Amino acid sequence: MALVNSKKMFEMAYKNGYAIGAFNVNNMEIVQGITEACKEENAPVILQVSKGARAYANHTYLVKLVEAAVAECPDIPIVLHLDHGPDFETCKACIDGGFTSVMIDGSHLPFEENVALTKKVVDYAHERGVTVEGELGTLAGIEDDVKVEHGAESYTKPEEVVEFVKRTGVDSLAIAIGTSHGAYKFKPEQCTRNEEGILVPPALRFDILEAVAKELGDFPIVLHGSSSVPQDYVKMVNDNGGKMPDAIGVPEEQLRKAATLSVCKINIDSDLRLAMTGTIRKFFNEKPDKFDPREYLKPARANIKELVRHKLRNVLGCAGKADECK
């Protein structure tokens, strides 16, 4: 099947209490690992591309990689989505260039300016059958050019969401309830430590999520910054020459709870990077004589695939849901 937009996916996800995984892609191996897992698990998927990914890999290469995935996985619905579109021009370029969904991130702007920018993108996108994600509230952390210092983030205000959605016409809304971009989602002083000395992050603000859901009704909510930063891969990085002290993510059980509520899309990027980097570091440490990229990228791709398979089954709950999302 051809690329689809997110409308049917979100309708079914909301109705049946699961979330669609939105995985960031940057190269062939990441695209393959994600889509092979989704194919085997019969799961719908959103492949999303950031501004940084477009700068790194080139728009055309990324689109063609995703089109190749569609050809190789014809039985699962796939969305090609722009993550954190910074302006109208970038969103327009992606819409005109084959994307089926875009995010316009005006969360750093005053409310009225965010509304105006988001509506401009929505008007252009909807005329072309493309769905649009907006954002209210800001997340701490770093993702490509999106950088917000801890302490400068702001939770979504439930009293603003209805007006924003009605005036802009967005198809989904990213909100801030305590997730954060990057592999260092929480400072150690924000956390407690368990008996093993492992950092335990603060709980997500489910009270805000529930208040937003009450205001909006059956409307799809999105969580950014939702990697769980698997500690086995953090350890793999550190054991093989890396330095990632106190890297910590969002507990998977909290994400699963969010998916049973009104969250229909959960963004995952750092976990993929950790799986790839940890695997490659370990490979080079154990086999310093090797230099063929195919030899170290193959196990990295395999570990990405297994990580995604785990997310589909145990966190997102969308394994086996491809047919109902078509």
Side-chain angles (χ1 to χ4, degrees), residues 280-294:
I280 293 172
R281 278 188 174 275
K282 185 173 186 290
F283 181 94
F284 281 141
N285 197 34
E286 294 177 349
K287 302 176 181 180
D289 59 315
K290 299 293 185 179
F291 61 92
D292 186 341
R294 293 170 296 184

Side-chain angles (χ1 to χ4, degrees), residues 76-89:
I76 62 169
I78 299 175
V79 173
L80 176 54
H81 175 75
L82 171 66
D83 187 29
H84 284 290
D87 48 46
F88 174 80
E89 290 72 22

